[in-house]
Structures are given as C-alpha cells and as structure tokens.
Amino acid sequence: MRTVLAVFLWLLAGLVPALAQTLTSSNVQVNWQVENRFRLFADAKDFQAHERAWKQYLIHVDGLNLDEGAEARLVANSSVLGTEHVLNDRYIPFTRHLRRNYDWKGWAAAQVGRLCWDEKSRTHSACGSSEAYVVPKSHRVKLWLTRRDSSVLISEYNCEWRVDGGAPEVSPCDEAVTLDIPWPKGASVSVAAEGESGISTDIEVKDLLIAGLGDSFASGEGNPDVPVAFSADARFRNLYPRRARNDGSGNAQWMDELCHRSLYGHQLRAALQVAVENPHGAVTFLGYACSGAAVDEGILGPQEHVEYVSRNGQVRVVSGSGKDTQMRWLLRELCVVKPQAENGFWVCPEGQYRRPVDLLLLSVGGNDIGFSSLVTWATLRDNTTSKLAKWFGATVSPKQFAANMQNDLPGDYARLAKAIELGVPLREDGVGFDPSRVVLTAYPDILEDEKGQVCPAGEEGVDEDLYPANQSLDVWSSWLVVTPGKLTRAHEQLEGLHRRMGELAEDHGWRFAGRAYEDRPFRGHGFCARNAAAGKDPAEQLMMPCLGKAARDTATCTQSWSGKQRDWRPYNPATENYPYALRQRWVRSFNDAYLAINQKAITRDGFVDEKASESVFVETTGAMHPSAEGHAAMADAILMDVRPVVAKLLGVTEE
C-alpha cells in the first residue's frame, strides 16, 4: 500500500507545476563585468585572450607557495610580463615543453585589422568614428547570478533581465547574459524568475581615457605587429638571410607604419593591464607615440620619421607636414571642433573637448639630447666613418650629452608642460588643471649583460667576435664595434639622465614613473645578455644566421663561392627565426633588428633599393630598443606608480 501511495504522489507532482523561485538579495548575488574593457580592440575576444593569460599567470604564481605579502609584490611587479610569457612563450608556459602550434609571428599578428585604429586616416575611427570611440554611448556588460544560499535552485528556471525597466532579456537563470549599459550615467538592472518579483542593482561603468605621447621607447619600435619573414633559398650578399618577399609587400607591418607604433609598446600594455585588472571599468586608449620623436620635433611640431624612400636614385627620409604632430593628433580626436595653433601651441578652441583625459603617459627626452647619437658614438669604429659622422652631427660624445641634459632638457620640458596645460584637459568636472595626471616614464638601463654588468668588450681588432656585444652586430662589423671604454662612458650617462628627468618632472608637478630604471627590471637583460644554458635555442643566439664559413663559430661569416657550404649557421632563418620567443635579452640588438624588421628603402614602384638602404643603415632601425618582454617589464614598472591613481579614479577601495 505504501508503494502505491508513493507512486501516486510522484505522478501527482508531475501534474502540478513547480513553484517559481523567488530571488532576493539574501539568496542570490548579481555579478557583472565589462565584456571588452580595452576599447581599442574591436573584438572582445582579443581582450579576453589577455585576460585569460593574466589569470593563467596568477595561477602559476599561486602555485609558488609564497607568503601573502611576497605573492602580492610579485604580482604587482610582473603581471604584464607574466601575461607576455603566457602569450608568446615558444614553450608551454612555465615549462620546457615546446608548443606544437607556436605562432612565430607573435600574439599581435592575429589582431591586425581588428582594431578601432584606421591606418589610412591615422585616427581611432575604424569602429564608427573618432567621436564614437572617444565618447562611448554604452558598454556591453556580462551579468550572472551566484547563490548565497546553497538550497536555492536557479538552474530550473528562466530569468528576466531588464535595463531601466525596459524589455526583458530572457535566459536560463544559471547562465550569463550580456546587456548594453548606457555611459556615463549607468543604469538600474533588475532580474527575476519569470512571473516573480526580483532584485535590482545599479551598474555604472567607469571608463578611463588614457592618452600616450612620446618617442620610440613608447611606440614599440623594434617590435612590429607582424615581423618580417625570410626565404629559405634567397640570400642577401649571397650570405645573409633575405626577406621572403623582397619588395614593399614584404615589409614588417605596424599599427602605424610611419611611427613604427605597435601593440607591444609599453604605454599601450600598461593601459591594457589597467583594463584587465578592473572588471567594472573600461579603458579608452589614445596612443600617438612615434619613433624618432622629441618635444619640439614630434610632439609639438613635425618630425622626420624613421621610414625611408628611394626616388630617382636618391634616398630621403619621410618627413611630416606642419600638422603632423602628436599634440594635434590628440586634439583632432579630442576636440568637438577643429584644433588651432596659437602662439606655437595646439589648442582646442574655447575648450570644446569631447571629454577630459584621465591620464597622460609620456616618454620623451632621449631624442632631445641625442641618445641615439650617443649610441652611434659608442659603436662606430674610429675611422673615416666616425669622423664624418661627427662632422655631420650624427654623433654626440658623453660630455656633450651631459651638457645637453643640463642645458637643453629643462627648456624642452618647460615648453611641453605649457603645451599640455594649454591643450590637454587633465581636469575633473571642468575644474582646474591637475599636472599629477601626467606620468613621465624613465628609460631603462639597456647596456648590461646577463650578470647585471656593463656589456664586456675587447679593444678594436683584438678578438672582437669573442664578446657577445660584438656578436650582436657582426653583419656591420666593418663599421661598428663595441669597446669597453666607450660603452662604459655611455653607460655612466644613464644615471645622470634618470636623475635629471626626475628633477624636472617634480618641477612641473608630473608623476615620475622611475621604477623602469630605479628597480633595475632590465638587470641581466641588456642587449648583450644571453642564457648560456640554452645556447642552442635560436632565440638565445646573438650571431646573425649566414650561409658561409669562418675560422670559428663566433666569427663573422665569409663568402663560400664553391657552394660546398650549404648549411645555415647557427640556425635556418626561414624556419627558426622567433622574434617574439622569450629570451635572456630584453633589448633588440642590431642583428635582432635585422631579423624582426629588416627595414628597406622602397622605390616609387614598390621595389627594394638595396644600395640606398645600406647607405642610411636603415636595416638597423629598431636596434637598442626594448623587446616585447622589455616593454612588458616597463609597463609593469609604470603600473607600480599608476595603480593608486587608477584606484582613485575608479573609486576602488582596499578591502
């Protein structure tokens, strides 16, 4: 009888509809996060790839079993670098197992053409218009429920989600939904099981506008979005690797070609990490850093770019027009009306800005006082070439560099400070001007080896190739050489430059992000650094691949006209060139620049002019700049100073 009764009750239950679940703030919690928090990426999946990589790095750090304080410090100091390791490591991250499907081109290559940057107009208008990018109407937000009470059943019901009481979005209660939340006012979002009353929460997305101005250390020089590819058969000078397509179509690809600006630049990576770490916020990034820029030539006025063209047998550098300045580029997208030049400064007439700027990242000063010319002085052989270079002002001695630092840099920064105050709305609710929102980044020490010492070298003509510093520029050994005296004198200037930049930043009320130098993140990772334990790894090789022979492995290759020498050494550049694989050095050497960018002077017809390219040494463009890992480390250093500002802007309080 009991069995019959049980069956009857079971059948009766099937005929009576289940009571709907009433959702209350005590039994469920509404969770939400912005789906695409870095708005430069047109596709949310590209942002989420970085978010997942960061979380994977956090899992790795958690597995190190550090105490709470040590773990927090490590994460704060290395989040961008850890993300870079996950995304670009040729090995399965944090192991020594090679990936089966490693993309030698790097993670940025897959995002070419999927940005809100329009390379033709050189504006952030590819996702509608500059105004639509700078001033978003809404943000796509992902919402989901979690149970506060384990007895609450939500998987059996459908939920109705509404934005400000509008039409419902119906979805299973245990699944996430995506809704558009207006910006900047936000919205009230309610959720209820069908037919029941529910709960509501207010959602307001904090969107930060971060702008970036500066030079090649900010643009990402040395790290194109798509590196150059090499041929397995064709050779340059019958000896060195030649590009797979040796015309204009074979060039490395950049987000902005003239400026050599890429997704790897440290300003962009820092802004991206701000977005990754703040699920209730978003970042609108306006980056204009340009390789070769200085204060007067590049930020405030036009500059000569690093691209060269060959016309009628003559090679010339591409120069910008009078309007080709970073301040005008910024105001062109930030102003409602057309920006104007007043007394030598670009301004937005009557302050008609679309919105204020929350943070302005700066990287500038090195080109103003001749840092690249100091590098030229330190590497040119003492012969006719160096004398001519000095005559034409292409080199700067350490003494002159120090003088420029003391005499010229103050005036340069003063003009820049005035231009920023006149042109950039670094204010809240239209009140005042806050110079502390300007963040000036220090330059790292790039001249050290894996031991943290100045790159060792020998005297000219004395077993030069035995030293890694010289191996890293062996293609150009006929006119370039590294000697200990010159390198030491150049290295001594870096500390003085850092100190001077910090003093001047303080004078103008800027925030100085000095950790890129002070904390020595590049210690052991300079341009001559190498991991001897991984010496056979192509990424750790300092020598240029060549199809030739030499007296010893480290010596520059020589011609092998007999054809008997048919093997590439130390590796095949067509199949084993990994510009973005992790390595000991975080600085692009001269050989690295050749193997990642291989820039050439292009004729009007789109062909490569080899002679013209050699005459202006264009193939070395990108040398002595941070690698992708170096930029990631610089971004981490910046974030150590920027996170407190970001937290204040987002209204985030420490728990």
Side-chain angles (χ1 to χ4, degrees):
M1 185 66 183
R2 290 179 179 176
T3 303
V4 173
L5 180 61
V7 172
F8 174 76
L9 293 174
W10 178 76
L11 291 172
L12 182 63
L15 296 174
V16 178
L19 294 176
Q21 175 70 60
T22 300
L23 304 181
T24 68
S25 58
S26 62
N27 61 25
V28 295
Q29 177 177 324
V30 178
N31 307 279
W32 65 276
Q33 65 180 30
V34 181
E35 189 175 53
N36 182 9
R37 302 197 289 277
F38 192 63
R39 298 184 57 251
L40 179 65
F41 294 157
D43 192 332
K45 293 180 181 178
D46 291 332
F47 166 75
Q48 290 160 4
H50 287 265
E51 185 180 30
R52 286 194 305 272
W54 178 61
K55 290 180 178 179
Q56 187 174 343
Y57 176 61
L58 295 184
I59 293 172
H60 166 72
V61 172
D62 189 56
L64 298 177
N65 297 318
L66 303 173
D67 65 66
E68 186 176 347
E71 181 173 317
R73 287 191 295 273
L74 178 59
V75 169
N77 276 291
S78 61
S79 282
V80 185
L81 185 60
T83 301
E84 180 66 23
H85 279 205
V86 174
L87 292 172
N88 265 346
D89 198 343
R90 194 160 66 93
Y91 295 83
I92 296 174
F94 315 114
T95 76
R96 295 307 293 172
H97 301 290
L98 286 169
R99 281 175 168 167
R100 291 184 178 181
N101 299 310
Y102 176 70
D103 187 353
W104 70 274
K105 297 185 297 295
W107 61 260
Q111 298 184 6
V112 171
R114 299 212 302 262
L115 302 173
C116 289
W117 171 261
D118 180 73
E119 55 186 297
K120 293 184 178 179
S121 66
R122 301 180 77 191
T123 62
H124 298 82
S125 60
C127 296
S129 65
S130 290
E131 182 176 6
Y133 178 74
V134 173
V135 187
K137 292 183 178 180
S138 63
H139 294 86
R140 194 75 170 161
V141 171
K142 175 183 175 182
L143 301 100
W144 67 98
L145 297 175
T146 54
R147 296 184 300 174
R148 295 182 186 271
D149 183 346
S150 59
S151 65
V152 175
L153 300 177
I154 61 175
S155 60
E156 301 177 11
Y157 308 102
N158 285 332
C159 277
E160 294 180 341
W161 297 80
R162 300 174 188 269
V163 177
D164 286 335
E169 178 78 22
V170 180
S171 174
C173 292
D174 61 345
E175 294 183 7
V177 297
T178 53
L179 304 172
D180 288 321
I181 303 300
W183 187 84
K185 69 183 183 68
S188 175
V189 174
S190 62
V191 57
E194 288 182 305
E196 293 290 311
S197 59
I199 56 176
S200 64
T201 186
D202 293 330
I203 295 179
E204 181 182 337
V205 177
K206 299 284 189 178
D207 189 287
L208 298 182
L209 180 58
I210 300 177
L213 306 177
D215 53 23
S216 55
F217 268 73
S219 71
E221 177 63 273
N223 303 279
D225 296 292
V226 182
V228 69
F230 290 96
S231 169
D233 302 312
R235 303 190 301 277
F236 176 57
R237 299 178 187 165
N238 197 40
L239 190 66
Y240 298 110
R242 198 178 75 176
R243 306 190 317 176
R245 297 193 307 276
N246 204 33
D247 55 25
S249 67
N251 292 348
Q253 296 178 44
W254 304 85
M255 177 181 168
D256 186 288
E257 182 179 357
L258 282 181
C259 284
H260 282 203
R261 188 165 64 251
S262 76
L263 294 174
Y264 290 108
H266 71 256
Q267 290 181 342
L268 188 149
R269 294 301 301 273
L272 172 55
Q273 187 63 23
V274 168
V276 166
E277 293 178 5
N278 294 280
H280 290 177
V283 171
T284 299
F285 180 66
L286 295 172
Y288 306 99
C290 196
S291 187
V295 170
D296 291 329
E297 297 178 359
I299 296 183
L300 305 185
Q303 69 170 89
E304 290 185 342
H305 294 288
V306 294
E307 290 282 328
Y308 286 81
V309 295
S310 176
R311 298 291 184 263
N312 301 318
Q314 299 293 319
V315 60
R316 62 178 179 84
V317 66
V318 177
S319 299
S321 67
K323 296 180 178 180
D324 188 18
T325 79
Q326 294 180 42
M327 278 295 295
R328 182 181 175 275
W329 295 341
L330 173 60
L331 296 184
R332 181 176 55 167
E333 301 197 88
L334 202 55
C335 292
V336 177
V337 295
K338 189 176 181 179
Q340 295 180 358
E342 293 183 1
N343 300 318
F345 297 99
W346 288 100
V347 298
C348 185
E350 300 179 1
Q352 299 182 67
Y353 298 103
R354 291 190 167 111
R355 60 181 291 195
V357 173
D358 293 295
L359 283 172
L360 176 63
L361 306 181
L362 283 181
S363 173
V364 70
N367 290 331
D368 299 77
I369 58 177
F371 180 74
S372 61
S373 298
L374 178 67
V375 172
T376 303
W377 171 88
T379 55
L380 273 180
R381 288 186 180 276
D382 287 326
N383 54 24
T384 304
T385 303
S386 61
K387 292 181 174 62
L388 287 173
K390 182 179 180 180
W391 175 265
F392 287 107
T395 61
V396 168
S397 68
K399 182 178 180 180
Q400 185 60 53
F401 184 80
N404 294 345
M405 190 191 308
Q406 295 299 317
N407 302 328
D408 297 344
L409 204 56
D412 295 334
Y413 278 4
R415 288 189 297 278
L416 180 57
K418 183 176 181 179
I420 292 172
E421 186 166 358
L422 289 172
V424 184
L426 289 164
R427 55 182 64 90
E428 188 173 354
D429 298 326
V431 179
F433 174 78
D434 187 357
S436 70
R437 303 274 190 97
V438 178
V439 182
L440 178 65
T441 306
Y443 294 103
D445 186 343
I446 62 175
L447 301 179
E448 296 184 342
D449 65 5
E450 66 276 7
K451 298 177 182 179
Q453 301 172 351
V454 178
C455 291
E459 298 300 332
E460 285 194 37
V462 182
D463 294 331
E464 296 169 2
D465 63 280
L466 295 180
Y467 297 91
N470 286 316
Q471 294 169 20
S472 69
L473 46 78
D474 65 328
V475 177
W476 300 274
S477 60
S478 62
W479 54 279
L480 288 180
V481 67
V482 175
T483 58
K486 281 190 171 184
L487 202 57
T488 298
R489 289 181 63 193
H491 182 262
E492 290 170 350
Q493 295 303 316
L494 299 181
E495 183 176 358
L497 174 60
H498 174 78
R499 185 170 55 251
R500 189 62 164 155
M501 289 175 65
E503 293 169 351
L504 295 174
E506 184 178 2
D507 289 346
H508 296 293
W510 299 342
R511 190 176 300 271
F512 185 49
R515 296 173 189 265
Y517 181 87
E518 293 163 7
D519 290 357
R520 295 290 194 264
F522 278 62
R523 181 181 293 277
H525 299 289
F527 82 99
C528 66
R530 57 180 177 174
N531 182 355
K536 293 184 179 181
D537 188 329
E540 290 293 345
Q541 297 291 335
L542 288 163
M543 298 290 296
M544 177 72 75
C546 62
L547 198 68
K549 59 182 181 179
R552 52 179 178 256
D553 289 341
T554 57
T556 301
C557 292
T558 56
Q559 298 284 5
S560 178
W561 297 108
S562 66
K564 293 181 180 179
Q565 179 71 26
R566 296 184 181 276
D567 296 326
W568 287 96
R569 70 177 185 93
Y571 60 88
N572 189 327
T575 58
E576 298 178 294
N577 184 33
Y578 307 117
Y580 292 112
L582 308 189
R583 66 197 72 205
Q584 186 72 27
R585 62 190 182 279
W586 292 354
V587 180
R588 295 295 191 199
S589 69
F590 287 82
N591 289 350
D592 291 335
Y594 184 99
L595 292 167
I597 306 172
N598 204 264
Q599 186 167 316
K600 303 287 186 180
I602 305 299
T603 66
R604 194 182 302 275
D605 297 327
F607 296 107
V608 167
D609 188 331
E610 296 284 10
K611 291 184 177 180
S613 300
E614 288 186 70
S615 69
V616 291
F617 313 127
V618 70
E619 294 146 329
T620 65
T621 299
M624 307 304 285
H625 286 82
S627 66
E629 288 179 89
H631 276 288
M634 289 187 70
D636 279 320
I638 294 171
L639 287 166
M640 293 292 289
D641 289 299
V642 165
R643 281 193 183 98
V645 184
V646 169
K648 182 178 179 181
L649 291 171
L650 295 179
V652 177
T653 57
E654 294 185 4
E655 296 182 358

